[in-house]
Amino acid sequence: MIRLVKTLSVALLSLCGTVATQAQTNFSNLEQQLPLDPSVLKGTLDNGLTYYIKENSRPEDKAELRLVINAGSILEDEDQLGLAHFVEHMAFNGTDSFKKNELIDYLQSIGVEFGADLNAHTGFDETVYKLTVPTDDQEIFDTSMQILKDWAGGITFSNEEIDNERGVVAEELRARSGAGSRMYDQSIPVITNNARYASRLPIGSLDVIMNSDYDAMKRFYRDWYRPDLMALVLVGDFDAKEAEAQVKELFSDLDVVSEAKDRTVYKIETSKKPVAKVITDEETQKTTVAFYFKKEHEKTLSYKDYKTSLLEILYSGMLRERLSEITQDSDAPFLSATAGIGFFLGNKDSYYLRADLKENGIEKGIKAVIAESERAKRFGFTASELERYKAKVLQNATLFKTESDKIPNRVYVEALIDNFTFEDPVVSEDFRFDFYEQILPTITLEEVNAIANTWVNSTDVAVILNAADKNASKLPSEAQLLDILDEAGTLKLQPYVDNMANVALMKTKPQAGKLSKTSYNKKVDVTTWKFENGVTVIVKPTTFQNDMIAVRGFRPGGSSVAPDEMYVSAREAGRIISESGVNGISNVQLQKLNMGKDVSVTPYINYYDELISASSNREDLERMFQMIHLYFTAPNKDANTFGSHKKRLMSLYKDSDDNPGSYFEKVIAKTMMNNHLRAIPLEEEQIEAELNLDEVFAFYKDRFSNANEFTFILSGNFDPDQIKELATTYLASLPSNVKEKSNWRDIGLRRATGKIEKTVKKGIDDKAQVDMRFTGTLDYSPEKLKKLNLLAKVLKIRLTEELRENMGGVYGVRVSGFTTDRPYDWYRMEVRFTCAPENVEALKQKVFEEINAMKKNGVSQENVAKIKEAELSNTEEFLKYDSFWISKIREAYELGREYDSFLNYEEEIAKIDSDFFKQAARTYFDESNYAEFILLPEK
């Protein structure tokens, strides 16, 4: 079984030894055991601790470190409900080597950011501690390893700190509350056949969190945090052998627990008949259905197992393609649908079907989803579908093989964690590619179609229907849901017809345009070409990836140039046309034509720009340029696509006021944007009346029929001469009127000023949401945007310490800074948090105290150092990504700066000091322009 949520295919590690041998490339004997990726060192210490170590230099001088515990909430006793998760919190509140807050302070001082680089999670069956650290300083790496050891066996569990943390954990539970969690909690007993999982949700019981005995938590740590249930996963830019020696030296003395409790594997029993549950909630907006066909989990150990997983990938992938095709029809019976085969929970795997349903066609949509599953089971797939999907699967394997030395650490880390916790396979990218290349051609249609008989059973099935309370009368009963399932085999169905016309994307190439000017910036190796039709192309060749190329096109204009009466159509024009296909080829057929190719092109229209986002490998570069050309010259006007998009959009905004969060955001938008038409959420009736296909197509054509002043930036692993030839053929040939200039229009959008206080009462959960924002005008520059972002980061550090650690009043606090120069130079500093309604005033007061302290005294040298170290570390990492270079080149181009103007970042970071933040706080926390919004429960 290959875990569905992974993009990276992985295979099983060997059961013993430190390194497996290189995988064989002869796959004729399918009984062979899958080999371990030979780049991974795997071993087991005498005390039972398992370790996985892999060298990887993406990103350079960084490592991902994980401590994985094969224990989660499923192992809690009745007096421990929620304490597996609570233990995770206590790991950050005192260890043998670090007193409370010292651990976080130390890590922040070396550039580690809490949340992004330092975190943990607790699941039903596992707990994982996560740490991203630099590797270019051995002392720092050594200390980071010591932190992992402290988590493994040295959490101190001070009674005082346990009591201090109770409020934080309670606030996490509060923050997660809402319609989604309520409905999930009701579904778990049904989908697990009332297994132990139903009573062991990781977040736990509020009563236990607030009132449990100290020893209940310590007992969980004693029982389950032991080396035989632990794994270290280390992936990064280090010497693997040296890291292995360090693991052996540091972790070998973790004590083996005598008379250890059995690590029980709790099972989900097999149901003898299908079950269904209809769940409604007054605050949910969507109506969804999910079918889970369950069977016993089977490990992927051999080549034969790996082939079975490949058959399942092909079957479920082709079914998803069919479901996606249906949704692109204006009369589709559901809004969206998906399917898959993969790990479910505990000892179960599942074949699942999920769909978002139309409110006025709920039963019809449910029947349609089951009908497509039954159609695939009864008639199978077609040979043409299979060949296309084989090409897609092989292309993905090719991509990962090609980029194997450029894959981020975190991808490999997750695969290795899943091997330890779920025994998922981990093979090398070379092995996966070789296996797919040799086995895919031998796979027959009959083998793939037979997968249905393995999965679509009639007994161990769970059906969950979620909907709003107000739609209860429209819902089928649980008995009717089971009838729909039972009657699937008797449905009158026809085989699927693969309508794939024999079409070519572009039959004849356009006549090439002419180059008018070339310039080159040697410092950053950037070349700029200006063509006679007014198009500019800027290229930055890199080796950040081995065979990936990113493209961004842009021009000022956007929906701002549309009159108000056309706003809704202009707003959606880019999205609708991007879903409609090109050159008379429908989007469905375009997706089929491109299956097995690494190419993507999407046009966008936002408030103030027309945009193109594209990517490809070198082999498919010309196809990418052809698609860009066609989105300018031959977009489709597709009534089917339009109708489908319109119905999905109406569903998205329908009843949004019933959701407290959505309603709160609408109040904020209307207030802060002075109820401006273009800055507030759409209404269902507005979409119905104002979204018009003729207007959509006319506006898109108006914005893209003249390419003058369009700029394209390319960054990636390419030959600039090849790009120049393709750009001359497909971009320089785009129609244009060089006399017609394009610019965005000031639509009169102005933010509210002065002091604003609004309290909104909505919802049933006992929680408050607080939004505090300071706004004003400035002279925009990237430097001021950076200053706002850094101010937000340092304030977040202080508020996390005060509101979370000292007061226990919040789980997290979000602080953000934003500025723009369109339609005028304006900024916003925002603080947001969720808390108990009775704590709102005290927490607000503390926010103001911290802001005023910063205005008066600046910030501590310790926090200045944290910000500078993180900023330096992040920038040095970002410089290795094509997307970062594209954004910086665009910024410089639009501001008329040199492309290398941002490379003085070290000098700029060095200037940051306490006074930098003091002056920024005085400037941007302007209490004369302060808006406060509070969401409270209705009762």
Side-chain angles (χ1 to χ4, degrees):
M1 179 64 57
I2 298 175
R3 195 161 302 276
L4 288 172
V5 297
K6 301 299 173 199
T7 308
L8 177 64
S9 239
V10 289
L12 185 71
L13 296 178
S14 59
L15 298 177
C16 60
T18 58
V19 182
T21 58
Q22 175 64 46
Q24 299 177 16
T25 56
N26 181 356
F27 302 109
S28 58
N29 178 12
L30 293 180
E31 299 305 320
Q32 297 179 80
Q33 295 295 291
L34 285 166
L36 168 69
D37 178 350
S39 68
V40 175
L41 287 174
K42 180 189 176 185
T44 304
L45 302 180
D46 291 343
N47 58 13
L49 183 142
T50 302
Y51 60 83
Y52 304 85
I53 304 172
K54 177 180 173 66
E55 290 183 30
N56 191 57
S57 58
R58 184 70 164 176
E60 293 179 5
D61 299 327
K62 289 284 185 73
E64 294 293 336
L65 312 181
R66 300 292 186 269
L67 173 68
V68 187
I69 314 297
N70 182 19
S73 60
I74 196 69
L75 298 175
E76 293 168 340
D77 296 331
E78 287 298 323
D79 66 339
Q80 295 175 321
L81 301 183
L83 297 191
H85 172 238
F86 205 144
V87 167
E88 169 212 310
H89 275 245
M90 293 308 298
F92 302 95
N93 284 277
T95 69
D96 288 343
S97 304
F98 294 91
K99 295 179 181 178
K100 175 181 170 60
N101 290 339
E102 285 185 2
L103 186 148
I104 294 175
D105 284 343
Y106 168 75
L107 289 170
Q108 287 178 331
S109 75
I110 62 172
V112 172
E113 296 188 88
F114 190 47
D117 304 318
L118 174 65
N119 215 324
H121 83 258
T122 302
F124 285 109
D125 286 295
E126 83 289 339
T127 306
V128 181
Y129 294 88
K130 311 170 186 181
L131 187 54
T132 305
V133 297
T135 58
D136 54 354
D137 185 314
Q138 188 61 47
E139 183 179 351
I140 289 174
F141 189 75
D142 292 346
T143 304
S144 301
M145 293 291 285
Q146 181 62 49
I147 290 169
L148 294 182
K149 185 180 181 183
D150 276 13
W151 287 339
I155 302 176
T156 51
F157 293 104
S158 154
N159 291 350
E160 179 184 359
E161 294 304 333
I162 290 174
D163 287 337
N164 289 341
E165 194 68 13
R166 292 184 194 274
V168 176
V169 181
E171 288 306 320
E172 182 175 358
L173 188 153
R174 189 191 311 276
R176 292 182 178 183
S177 64
S181 63
R182 289 192 294 271
M183 299 172 90
Y184 175 75
D185 291 353
Q186 293 181 64
S187 73
I188 280 289
V190 181
I191 65 177
T192 64
N193 302 331
N194 289 302
R196 184 180 175 93
Y197 289 94
S199 61
R200 291 297 186 276
L201 295 174
I203 196 62
S205 156
L206 181 61
D207 178 59
V208 172
I209 291 168
M210 298 304 296
N211 302 305
S212 60
D213 291 339
Y214 302 125
D215 190 62
M217 185 185 307
K218 298 173 187 178
R219 186 175 77 245
F220 187 91
Y221 189 69
R222 290 194 303 268
D223 287 343
W224 306 116
Y225 278 60
R226 59 190 206 227
D228 61 304
L229 296 179
M230 291 179 180
L232 288 172
V233 179
L234 316 177
V235 179
D237 194 5
F238 48 60
D239 183 284
K241 285 291 186 181
E242 291 180 4
E244 181 183 36
Q246 191 170 7
V247 167
K248 291 179 177 179
E249 180 180 357
L250 193 59
F251 289 84
S252 292
D253 64 356
L254 285 175
D255 293 334
V256 176
V257 176
S258 59
E259 300 182 7
K261 295 177 69 171
D262 288 338
R263 198 312 190 182
T264 304
V265 177
Y266 291 95
K267 292 189 174 183
I268 298 172
E269 297 300 326
T270 299
S271 177
K272 296 181 180 179
K273 61 180 181 179
V275 293
K277 178 74 173 178
V278 177
I279 304 170
T280 63
D281 193 279
E282 65 184 85
E283 293 180 0
T284 195
Q285 292 174 245
K286 297 199 301 184
T287 304
T288 64
V289 69
F291 294 84
Y292 300 98
F293 297 78
K294 294 166 286 181
K295 72 181 187 70
E296 287 296 308
H297 172 66
E298 296 180 1
K299 298 177 183 179
T300 305
L301 300 172
S302 67
Y303 288 13
K304 183 178 180 180
D305 301 331
Y306 204 54
K307 179 181 176 180
T308 299
S309 291
L310 182 53
L311 293 171
E312 292 168 347
I313 288 171
L314 293 168
Y315 186 95
S316 58
M318 288 188 288
L319 181 55
R320 282 195 300 274
E321 293 294 325
R322 286 188 180 183
L323 293 169
S324 176
E325 182 175 331
I326 290 171
T327 62
Q328 296 181 57
D329 192 293
S330 61
D331 294 323
F334 40 72
L335 297 168
S336 66
T338 190
I341 298 173
F343 179 75
F344 179 69
L345 192 63
N347 58 307
K348 294 289 185 179
D349 294 331
S350 77
Y351 161 68
Y352 67 82
L353 303 164
R354 299 189 191 116
D356 289 346
L357 305 171
K358 295 180 176 179
E359 185 179 303
N360 294 321
I362 294 171
E363 188 169 336
K364 180 181 177 181
I366 296 170
K367 289 180 176 178
V369 174
I370 280 294
E372 285 311 308
S373 176
E374 176 63 24
R375 192 189 318 276
K377 178 183 178 183
R378 192 183 303 177
F379 302 110
F381 295 95
T382 66
S384 55
E385 286 178 289
L386 179 58
E387 290 311 305
R388 280 198 306 272
Y389 211 81
K390 282 182 178 180
K392 179 176 182 175
V393 168
L394 185 59
Q395 184 274 323
N396 180 262
T398 303
L399 171 66
F400 275 80
K401 177 183 178 180
T402 303
E403 302 293 337
S404 61
D405 63 330
K406 308 289 189 180
I407 294 173
N409 292 334
R410 292 186 181 185
V411 175
Y412 288 123
V413 159
E414 292 304 316
L416 294 169
I417 290 172
D418 287 344
N419 173 261
F420 180 71
T421 52
F422 303 111
E423 298 187 78
D424 281 4
V426 176
V427 295
S428 70
E429 296 308 324
D430 284 344
F431 178 92
R432 182 168 76 122
F433 173 80
D434 291 344
F435 188 91
Y436 283 13
E437 186 181 44
Q438 291 189 41
I439 296 299
L440 279 169
T442 72
I443 289 176
T444 66
L445 194 58
E446 290 71 24
E447 285 181 289
V448 177
N449 290 338
I451 290 296
N453 298 324
T454 303
W455 280 103
V456 187
N457 64 73
S458 58
T459 55
D460 198 3
V461 187
V463 188
I464 303 294
L465 178 61
N466 289 332
D469 280 349
K470 65 171 64 175
N471 291 329
S473 63
K474 302 177 182 179
L475 303 177
S477 67
E478 290 165 0
Q480 288 173 314
L481 286 173
L482 295 176
D483 287 342
I484 292 171
L485 183 66
D486 184 57
E487 293 165 4
T490 64
L491 292 172
K492 293 182 179 180
L493 301 171
Q494 295 298 316
Y496 171 83
V497 177
D498 187 15
N499 292 317
M500 184 58 198
N502 185 21
V503 295
L505 180 64
M506 180 180 281
K507 294 180 180 179
T508 58
K509 293 183 179 181
Q511 183 176 349
K514 294 183 179 180
L515 180 66
S516 62
K517 184 181 179 182
T518 299
S519 58
Y520 178 64
N521 186 311
K522 186 176 181 179
K523 290 182 181 179
V524 288
D525 192 21
V526 170
T527 302
T528 302
W529 299 307
K530 291 188 177 294
F531 295 96
E532 289 187 354
N533 66 342
V535 169
T536 300
V537 176
I538 305 170
V539 296
K540 164 68 177 172
T542 70
T543 56
F544 304 144
Q545 303 293 153
N546 295 324
D547 191 17
M548 297 175 71
I549 299 152
V551 183
R552 298 294 181 270
F554 56 93
R555 183 181 65 180
S559 63
S560 71
V561 303
D564 285 350
E565 57 269 21
M566 277 185 63
Y567 165 63
V568 177
S569 294
R571 179 186 189 273
E572 296 300 311
R575 299 183 184 94
I576 291 170
I577 298 302
S578 72
E579 298 167 1
S580 299
V582 291
N583 206 23
I585 304 169
S586 71
N587 200 48
V588 169
Q589 293 203 337
L590 185 60
Q591 290 172 342
K592 291 178 180 180
L593 273 176
N594 285 335
M595 199 169 290
K597 300 183 185 300
D598 186 3
V599 61
S600 172
V601 177
T602 306
Y604 297 94
I605 297 175
N606 67 14
Y607 279 127
Y608 300 112
D609 300 282
E610 294 91 58
L611 304 157
I612 291 283
S613 176
S615 64
S616 78
N617 57 16
R618 287 188 294 272
E619 181 180 354
D620 297 318
L621 254 179
E622 183 165 18
R623 176 170 286 257
M624 181 191 73
F625 274 95
Q626 289 177 342
M627 289 177 64
I628 292 173
H629 185 95
L630 291 170
Y631 273 116
F632 277 85
T633 61
N636 286 350
K637 184 180 181 181
D638 190 322
N640 244 341
T641 296
F642 171 80
S644 174
H645 182 96
K646 186 172 185 176
K647 289 175 182 176
R648 291 197 306 273
L649 192 66
M650 290 172 63
S651 175
L652 178 66
Y653 287 99
K654 182 178 177 60
D655 299 328
S656 60
D657 286 355
D658 292 341
N659 180 275
S662 298
Y663 182 75
F664 187 51
E665 296 301 331
K666 180 184 288 188
V667 170
I668 294 173
K670 285 188 171 184
T671 304
M672 294 306 300
M673 302 303 183
N674 291 309
N675 207 29
H676 195 284
L677 167 70
R678 304 189 188 217
I680 60 176
L682 297 178
E683 303 282 352
E684 180 189 13
E685 298 78 11
Q686 180 186 18
I687 298 166
E688 173 66 35
E690 298 179 24
L691 186 55
N692 177 278
L693 175 58
D694 290 336
E695 289 182 351
V696 164
F697 191 71
F699 185 76
Y700 181 90
K701 288 283 287 183
D702 176 70
R703 301 316 305 159
F704 282 87
S705 60
N706 177 11
N708 183 40
E709 297 184 304
F710 239 99
T711 300
F712 295 87
I713 303 174
L714 292 84
S715 184
N717 200 324
F718 54 71
D719 177 359
D721 289 338
Q722 183 189 13
I723 301 296
K724 182 179 180 181
E725 180 182 349
L726 292 169
T728 303
T729 301
Y730 296 106
L731 301 183
S733 62
L734 290 172
S736 73
N737 179 353
V738 295
K739 295 181 180 180
E740 185 178 313
K741 305 299 181 182
S742 179
N743 206 347
W744 56 271
R745 179 173 70 94
D746 188 341
I747 54 179
L749 176 61
R750 296 295 184 270
R751 279 77 174 182
T753 58
K755 287 196 172 184
I756 299 169
E757 293 183 0
K758 283 199 174 183
T759 298
V760 177
K761 292 191 175 183
K762 189 80 172 175
I764 60 177
D765 288 307
D766 183 31
K767 67 178 179 181
Q769 292 185 47
V770 178
D771 183 295
M772 307 166 69
R773 50 183 68 196
F774 303 81
T775 62
T777 59
L778 50 73
D779 293 325
Y780 173 85
S781 70
E783 291 75 21
K784 287 179 179 175
L785 173 58
K786 176 61 67 177
K787 183 176 288 189
L788 285 160
N789 288 334
L790 295 177
L791 181 62
K793 286 185 177 183
V794 78
L795 180 60
K796 181 176 180 177
I797 290 174
R798 288 298 306 140
L799 294 182
T800 299
E801 291 173 358
E802 291 298 325
L803 274 59
R804 173 179 164 134
E805 300 302 329
N806 293 337
M807 299 176 69
V810 302
Y811 170 59
V813 57
R814 192 182 85 182
V815 187
S816 61
F818 172 77
T819 183
T820 181
D821 59 349
R822 294 187 292 185
Y824 67 107
D825 293 5
W826 171 87
Y827 76 88
R828 176 188 68 231
M829 288 297 301
E830 181 179 17
V831 177
R832 273 199 164 201
F833 53 86
T834 299
C835 65
E838 62 270 22
N839 291 337
V840 168
E841 291 304 318
L843 292 167
K844 277 171 42 188
Q845 181 179 344
K846 180 56 68 174
V847 171
F848 277 110
E849 286 178 11
E850 290 302 317
I851 289 172
N852 290 331
M854 196 180 299
K855 288 180 179 180
K856 181 179 179 180
N857 304 314
V859 302
S860 69
Q861 291 303 314
E862 181 184 15
N863 283 340
V864 169
K866 290 176 183 178
I867 293 296
K868 292 171 72 171
E869 190 65 35
E871 188 65 15
L872 185 62
S873 175
N874 289 337
T875 304
E876 289 174 345
E877 182 176 342
F878 294 158
L879 281 166
K880 303 295 175 64
Y881 288 91
D882 291 310
S883 59
F884 180 75
W885 276 96
I886 287 175
S887 68
K888 286 300 181 181
I889 290 170
R890 178 180 176 180
E891 177 182 276
Y893 178 82
E894 292 185 322
L895 294 174
R897 296 183 175 186
E898 292 294 326
Y899 296 146
D900 59 347
S901 59
F902 71 95
L903 291 179
N904 64 338
Y905 63 92
E906 290 180 317
E907 178 184 336
E908 293 301 314
I909 292 172
K911 295 177 183 177
I912 298 171
D913 58 15
S914 178
D915 191 61
F916 172 95
F917 290 111
K918 180 195 295 185
Q919 297 306 320
R922 290 176 175 178
T923 302
Y924 299 119
F925 288 119
D926 178 7
E927 293 185 31
S928 66
N929 277 326
Y930 169 72
E932 176 184 292
F933 300 90
I934 301 172
L935 174 64
L936 297 173
E938 294 175 62
K939 298 178 182 178

